[in-house]
Amino acid sequence: MTLAERDAQTFLYESLADNLRGLIDDGTFACGHRLPSVRRLSRQERLSPATVLKAYETLEAAGLVEARPKSGYYVRRRSDDLPEPPSRSRPPAAATAVDVGELVVELVATASRPDLVPFGGALPGPELLPITRFKRITASVLRRADAYSELDIPPQGAAPLRTAVARRMLRTGCRVAPDDVVITAGCLEALNLALRAVARPGDAIGVESPTYFGTLQAIENLDMRAVELPTDPDRGVCPDALCEAARSGRIRAALLMPDVHNPLGGIMPEAHKRRIAATLGRLGVPVIEDDVYGETHFGEGARPRALKAFDEHDNVIYCSSFSKQISPTMRLGWMLPGRWARRVHVLKASSTIAANGLAQAATAAFLEQGGFDRHLRRQRRAFAANIDRALDGICRHFPATTRVTRPRGGYLLWVQVPGVDARALYHRALAEGISIAPGRLFTAHDGFRDFFRLNCGHPWSPRLEAGLARLGELAAGD
Amino acid sequence: MTLAERDAQTFLYESLADNLRGLIDDGTFACGHRLPSVRRLSRQERLSPATVLKAYETLEAAGLVEARPKSGYYVRRRSDDLPEPPSRSRPPAAATAVDVGELVVELVATASRPDLVPFGGALPGPELLPITRFKRITASVLRRADAYSELDIPPQGAAPLRTAVARRMLRTGCRVAPDDVVITAGCLEALNLALRAVARPGDAIGVESPTYFGTLQAIENLDMRAVELPTDPDRGVCPDALCEAARSGRIRAALLMPDVHNPLGGIMPEAHKRRIAATLGRLGVPVIEDDVYGETHFGEGARPRALKAFDEHDNVIYCSSFSKQISPTMRLGWMLPGRWARRVHVLKASSTIAANGLAQAATAAFLEQGGFDRHLRRQRRAFAANIDRALDGICRHFPATTRVTRPRGGYLLWVQVPGVDARALYHRALAEGISIAPGRLFTAHDGFRDFFRLNCGHPWSPRLEAGLARLGELAAGD
């Protein structure tokens, strides 16, 4: 290629890049949209594929688009457009009797209505779950002679599933044996068993503020109290505040979601994990770790190491589930009860006895057969793209004062529209066929009144886009 | 037929009947054995089929054998041989902190060992469950497009299963709507939810003495206390004692198994049910009814009406499951929470959220497709025959002072060998590969030390017979 030729090509791809930049700026290619393939655009514009590729690489270097392996180039959201994230929470210091039960039952009832735009619940869309493959494996497990005739699933769970779980725990930085694992009827049962193992009625439990309402409900219904702690949306609970609460005896235990918090989406830095594990371990204030979203972290690298990986005092009970990755209707989770193992076995045997046998056998087979990591990678990319689309929609449709989190994983956004009564917004939106989860659910004190949680776990669609736009209008007081 | 011919035939069949009586007496045909078919014996003895039939009918009229439809004639146990049943229990009046958890975990661990003679657990043998048919239906439900994609099973349970349950409840004498039903992860979860709905930590719960250890454990682990009440093995809890305990405020609620009690096998007379429902209803002392064995009543007639059928005060919470009839590894039960519905919904949503979706869909299909009643009849007959065989074995192998219940359903025997330490017997038997459930498990006070429970829910076999014989020797101090 001569110098002149090279200049000509530079001119061509720079012109093309400029044109595309204009189309992105005016929203013709909105955030999350895929650009035409290199081959198609080269045919359409009568340019060489190399020139089109160069143009795309220019846009990528400018942070306007991103390459997704084997999929193409996508328009990125621009961080300077984004509303501010909410500030660190400042909950009241006193323990509070939790009282959100009826509100939760109301939300759950609306979350299961297929006629609603599904921003309210916290389940991913079925399209992002490996349903067909899991059904096929379940059918093959059913054909095996021993399924359902193994009458005695021990309360601790079937051995093959405990082995598969122990193997997966290596990803979290934890080395455990199959006998350390207890299979449960979902993560929430694990959290209940853990709470009952480490605390008693009347005891105070330290939690993030805001936090998952299922946790708050479990604490309420075990006659315990929640002590909410200042929490940074991006970095999790404030370690100073947590350690002080443990030292002063204000809390009997802590229940935390260090990796991909619900509803905040933050990930606790390793230094905080190390400090919390060490300090609370020394003080003998047990930590219950809810890691149900840990596998949904964004980015192609390894997942963050769990808090449990830093636990040198056998003081952390780890809990997780397959609900977000395989199927929520299986109701299958697990926990590492550590030194509370005997107590947890007794509690499990006296509450639900054991988890569904077929689900245990099918999940063990699913994990053995491989491909789970590939599925997780695909799922994470889809969640990240959905979050981008939703953030873009919020930029365009919501009041300028709106604040919203920058989740580091998962598919949940925590949105604040200052001054708006989110409970009233919830009812107005519901009347128009849109469900959201009002912020009041995520706290034991009377806070987060102008917050709500948005579920972005369903594949983006014109219906979701329209729902989000209408929600923005309603939030603006229309 | 002339008179002489008739006399000759009478002589022939009476002689045959006498011979057979001798063979039964000396144990050649032991209790539970099938006599040769009419055709075979008529060929063998060169007698007409009518004569053999007459001989069998003579033995049947004498109570020595019984006809089983489409199966033949079987040797019955003789009630005058049987040891006495245990007498009515006289537990201490004070409420007791329950403490059997570790013992139960130990028992459950041994109960799931296939190398042991299975007298310890409380599950029927897989041969007596409709496993093949249920697997086929599960596979067909899996093939349906919507299975596992119905992501939102409401905490209350899937509507088709609640409808099928409401229909089945008619057999218990209860008219309920699908919306009155809550699907649970087995009956024990239902009992836990019911206890949490009607009582609080520290409260006293009236129970039969002895009673199912799972119930005692649940009470213990909810920090409640058990008040054991005098109980007749055949007729259940003493209504005077129960009503007095309710009137005096000694109990906050009662948890009873009126129909086919575990471990006693008794059925409460209707008059007692009526009185208990009325009195405790007037006093506002809630009754939790555990009906998990109600469908296993012996005899071809209708099942006994549930206590709930006599409840005119909306004061009885009914709980049951499919574990004994379809599959225990499904972990699927149900409850009728009545006026505590809102509270139970909230508790369920904060503990296990919902039961396994596939198990719910498959069970609903199983119940819809019919044949369930036929299966139950077959199962009941098999259980009754097993109980006969085990009672016969106890007659022959156990010390003369032994006492044993006459269950009216189910497959459990409650055995007393006066003076024998049943916990020590449990360990000696275990060392010889035989599991039993020591009586100490079935009480919160330190009683029933010379009692144990025998599971007779497995098809009778030489292995069970030999295990029972050895157990009798061990009980005799060998």
Side-chain angles (χ1 to χ4, degrees):
Chain A
M1 201 185 276
T2 65
L3 201 64
E5 279 171 339
R6 203 169 292 163
D7 281 348
Q9 201 212 19
T10 304
F11 172 77
L12 285 173
Y13 78 67
E14 284 188 345
S15 304
L16 179 61
D18 277 348
N19 284 341
L20 290 167
R21 199 188 304 257
L23 292 168
I24 290 168
D25 279 342
D26 69 13
T28 307
F29 289 133
C31 158
H33 276 138
R34 193 159 76 87
L35 296 183
S37 72
V38 171
R39 172 188 304 228
R40 194 174 130 214
L41 197 57
S42 82
R43 259 196 307 231
Q44 189 180 304
E45 301 289 323
R46 295 165 195 272
L47 296 167
S48 76
T51 302
V52 172
L53 196 62
K54 268 286 195 184
Y56 282 4
E57 282 168 4
T58 308
L59 294 172
E60 189 182 18
L64 289 172
V65 305
E66 62 184 355
R68 296 195 191 145
K70 295 180 189 158
S71 179
Y73 285 84
Y74 287 78
V75 179
R76 285 187 60 183
R77 66 165 193 256
R78 273 161 298 169
S79 54
D80 54 341
D81 287 350
L82 279 182
E84 284 283 293
S87 42
R88 174 193 287 191
S89 65
R90 288 192 186 75
T96 347
V98 185
D99 174 29
V100 291
E102 299 275 325
L103 241 164
V104 170
V105 169
E106 191 182 312
L107 180 75
V108 168
T110 59
S112 67
R113 279 173 48 190
D115 58 314
L116 297 178
V117 178
F119 293 140
L123 299 176
E127 304 84 352
L128 299 179
L129 295 170
I131 289 173
T132 308
R133 184 147 171 259
F134 190 69
K135 281 170 73 169
R136 204 174 58 234
I137 289 173
T138 304
S140 81
V141 165
L142 261 179
R143 280 191 297 271
R144 269 176 11 202
D146 59 349
Y148 270 84
S149 60
E150 293 171 13
L151 280 195
D152 298 290
I153 303 281
Q156 217 193 318
L161 183 56
R162 286 188 284 114
T163 304
V165 164
R167 219 175 281 138
R168 280 208 74 73
M169 284 305 298
L170 291 172
R171 300 164 50 90
T172 66
C174 302
R175 283 184 72 102
V176 296
D179 270 355
D180 301 330
V181 178
V182 172
I183 303 299
T184 61
C187 188
L188 193 52
E189 186 188 38
L191 298 176
N192 271 273
L193 294 171
L195 283 166
R196 295 173 71 183
V198 305
R200 309 204 15 96
D203 281 345
I205 311 296
V207 297
E208 291 107 344
S209 181
T211 200
Y212 170 46
F213 51 76
T215 296
L216 292 174
Q217 266 209 293
I219 291 171
E220 170 185 5
N221 289 328
L222 295 171
D223 294 305
M224 300 171 186
R225 288 163 307 131
V227 171
E228 290 183 58
L229 299 164
T231 303
D232 181 86
D234 193 50
R235 298 157 64 82
V237 74
C238 167
D240 288 340
L242 173 59
C243 294
E244 193 284 319
R247 223 177 330 254
S248 68
R250 271 206 303 139
I251 57 172
R252 174 75 195 82
L255 196 165
L256 305 173
M257 293 185 85
D259 294 332
V260 189
H261 184 270
N262 173 3
L264 296 173
I267 290 180
M268 186 185 283
E270 285 208 350
H272 291 193
K273 287 176 181 164
R274 198 181 304 274
R275 180 172 159 210
I276 289 169
T279 307
L280 272 67
R282 268 197 308 274
L283 293 168
V285 173
V287 180
I288 301 166
E289 176 174 20
D290 177 355
D291 191 42
V292 77
Y293 290 97
E295 291 281 6
T296 65
H297 67 99
F298 294 156
E300 300 296 318
R303 59 153 290 164
R305 284 198 281 174
L307 181 60
K308 176 74 186 165
F310 301 91
D311 175 27
E312 290 174 359
H313 296 83
D314 192 4
N315 190 54
V316 177
I317 299 183
Y318 175 97
C319 305
S320 191
S321 97
F322 299 104
S323 297
K324 318 293 178 185
Q325 271 77 48
I326 302 178
S327 160
T329 65
M330 272 203 303
R331 306 305 312 139
L332 208 57
W334 75 90
M335 66 192 294
L336 306 174
R339 64 186 156 106
W340 292 275
R342 295 284 299 170
R343 176 86 182 123
V344 164
H345 294 172
V346 167
L347 288 171
K348 173 83 183 146
S350 80
S351 49
T352 58
I353 304 187
N356 182 278
L358 179 60
Q360 292 192 59
T363 302
F366 188 89
L367 296 177
E368 272 160 27
Q369 292 186 13
F372 191 53
D373 289 324
R374 202 165 56 242
H375 156 65
L376 291 181
R377 274 195 302 276
R378 263 200 308 267
Q379 203 193 39
R380 280 198 292 269
R381 278 191 215 118
F383 290 155
N386 286 354
I387 287 285
D388 273 1
R389 300 293 291 271
L391 282 173
D392 179 64
I394 287 170
C395 290
R396 286 186 284 115
H397 303 304
F398 276 61
T401 54
T402 301
R403 291 173 154 221
V404 61
T405 46
R406 309 281 189 283
R408 291 172 174 270
Y411 42 85
L412 303 171
L413 288 176
W414 182 238
V415 184
Q416 182 183 24
V417 186
V420 158
D421 177 348
R423 188 110 195 249
L425 179 64
Y426 161 74
H427 287 292
R428 280 202 307 274
L430 203 58
E432 303 204 17
I434 304 164
S435 74
I436 59 171
R440 179 65 187 78
L441 285 173
F442 298 84
T443 174
H445 69 86
D446 193 16
F448 300 115
R449 287 165 156 265
D450 52 6
F451 283 81
F452 53 91
R453 188 189 68 183
L454 279 187
N455 177 3
C456 312
H458 291 254
W460 208 252
S461 67
R463 182 172 177 245
L464 295 193
E465 185 70 35
L468 194 62
R470 183 61 191 142
L471 198 57
E473 289 170 359
L474 291 173
D478 178 24
Chain B
M1 201 185 273
T2 65
L3 204 62
E5 280 171 337
R6 205 169 291 163
D7 280 350
Q9 199 213 19
T10 304
F11 172 77
L12 286 173
Y13 78 67
E14 284 188 346
S15 306
L16 179 60
D18 276 347
N19 284 341
L20 290 168
R21 199 188 304 257
L23 292 169
I24 291 169
D25 279 343
D26 68 15
T28 307
F29 288 132
C31 159
H33 276 138
R34 192 160 76 87
L35 296 182
S37 71
V38 170
R39 174 189 302 227
R40 192 170 133 217
L41 197 59
S42 82
R43 260 198 305 232
Q44 189 181 306
E45 300 289 323
R46 295 165 195 270
L47 295 168
S48 76
T51 302
V52 173
L53 197 62
K54 269 283 196 185
Y56 281 5
E57 284 169 3
T58 307
L59 294 171
E60 189 181 19
L64 290 172
V65 305
E66 63 184 353
R68 296 194 192 146
K70 292 179 189 158
S71 178
Y73 284 85
Y74 288 77
V75 180
R76 287 188 58 183
R77 65 166 195 256
R78 272 161 299 167
S79 54
D80 54 341
D81 286 350
L82 277 183
E84 284 283 293
S87 42
R88 174 194 287 193
S89 64
R90 288 192 186 75
T96 347
V98 185
D99 174 29
V100 292
E102 300 276 324
L103 241 163
V104 169
V105 170
E106 192 182 311
L107 179 76
V108 168
T110 59
S112 67
R113 281 173 46 189
D115 57 314
L116 297 178
V117 178
F119 292 141
L123 298 177
E127 304 84 351
L128 300 180
L129 295 171
I131 289 174
T132 309
R133 185 147 170 259
F134 189 69
K135 280 171 73 170
R136 205 173 58 234
I137 289 173
T138 305
S140 81
V141 165
L142 262 179
R143 279 190 298 272
R144 269 178 9 203
D146 59 348
Y148 270 85
S149 59
E150 293 172 14
L151 281 194
D152 298 290
I153 303 281
Q156 217 194 318
L161 183 56
R162 285 188 283 115
T163 304
V165 164
R167 218 175 282 137
R168 281 208 73 74
M169 284 304 299
L170 291 172
R171 299 164 51 91
T172 66
C174 302
R175 282 184 73 101
V176 296
D179 270 354
D180 300 331
V181 178
V182 173
I183 303 298
T184 61
C187 188
L188 193 52
E189 186 189 38
L191 297 176
N192 271 272
L193 294 171
L195 283 166
R196 294 173 71 184
V198 305
R200 309 206 12 98
D203 281 345
I205 311 295
V207 298
E208 292 106 345
S209 180
T211 200
Y212 170 47
F213 51 76
T215 296
L216 293 174
Q217 265 209 294
I219 291 171
E220 169 185 6
N221 289 327
L222 294 171
D223 295 305
M224 300 172 186
R225 290 164 304 131
V227 171
E228 290 184 56
L229 299 164
T231 303
D232 182 86
D234 193 50
R235 299 157 64 81
V237 74
C238 167
D240 287 342
L242 173 59
C243 293
E244 193 284 319
R247 220 174 334 252
S248 67
R250 271 206 303 138
I251 57 172
R252 174 74 193 85
L255 196 165
L256 305 173
M257 292 186 85
D259 293 332
V260 190
H261 184 270
N262 173 5
L264 296 172
I267 290 180
M268 186 186 283
E270 286 209 349
H272 291 193
K273 288 176 180 164
R274 199 181 301 275
R275 183 175 157 207
I276 288 169
T279 306
L280 272 66
R282 268 197 309 273
L283 293 168
V285 173
V287 180
I288 301 166
E289 175 173 23
D290 177 356
D291 191 43
V292 76
Y293 290 96
E295 290 283 4
T296 66
H297 67 100
F298 295 156
E300 301 296 318
R303 60 153 290 167
R305 283 197 282 175
L307 180 60
K308 176 74 187 164
F310 301 92
D311 175 27
E312 290 174 1
H313 296 83
D314 191 5
N315 191 55
V316 176
I317 298 183
Y318 175 98
C319 304
S320 191
S321 97
F322 298 105
S323 298
K324 317 294 177 187
Q325 271 77 50
I326 302 179
S327 160
T329 66
M330 271 204 302
R331 305 305 312 139
L332 208 57
W334 75 91
M335 66 193 293
L336 306 175
R339 63 185 156 107
W340 292 276
R342 295 284 299 171
R343 176 88 183 121
V344 164
H345 294 173
V346 167
L347 289 170
K348 173 84 184 148
S350 80
S351 49
T352 58
I353 304 187
N356 182 277
L358 179 60
Q360 292 191 60
T363 303
F366 188 89
L367 296 177
E368 271 159 26
Q369 291 185 13
F372 190 55
D373 289 325
R374 200 165 57 240
H375 157 65
L376 291 181
R377 275 196 301 275
R378 263 200 309 266
Q379 201 194 40
R380 279 198 293 269
R381 279 191 214 117
F383 290 154
N386 286 354
I387 287 285
D388 273 2
R389 300 293 291 269
L391 283 172
D392 179 65
I394 287 170
C395 289
R396 286 186 284 116
H397 303 304
F398 275 60
T401 54
T402 300
R403 290 173 156 221
V404 61
T405 45
R406 309 281 187 284
R408 292 173 174 271
Y411 43 85
L412 303 171
L413 288 176
W414 182 238
V415 186
Q416 180 183 25
V417 187
V420 159
D421 178 348
R423 188 108 196 249
L425 179 65
Y426 161 74
H427 287 292
R428 281 202 306 274
L430 203 58
E432 303 204 15
I434 303 164
S435 74
I436 59 171
R440 180 63 187 80
L441 285 174
F442 298 83
T443 173
H445 68 87
D446 192 17
F448 300 115
R449 286 164 157 267
D450 53 5
F451 282 80
F452 54 92
R453 188 190 68 184
L454 279 187
N455 176 3
C456 311
H458 291 255
W460 208 251
S461 66
R463 182 171 177 244
L464 294 193
E465 185 71 35
L468 194 63
R470 183 60 191 143
L471 197 58
E473 290 170 1
L474 291 172
D478 178 23

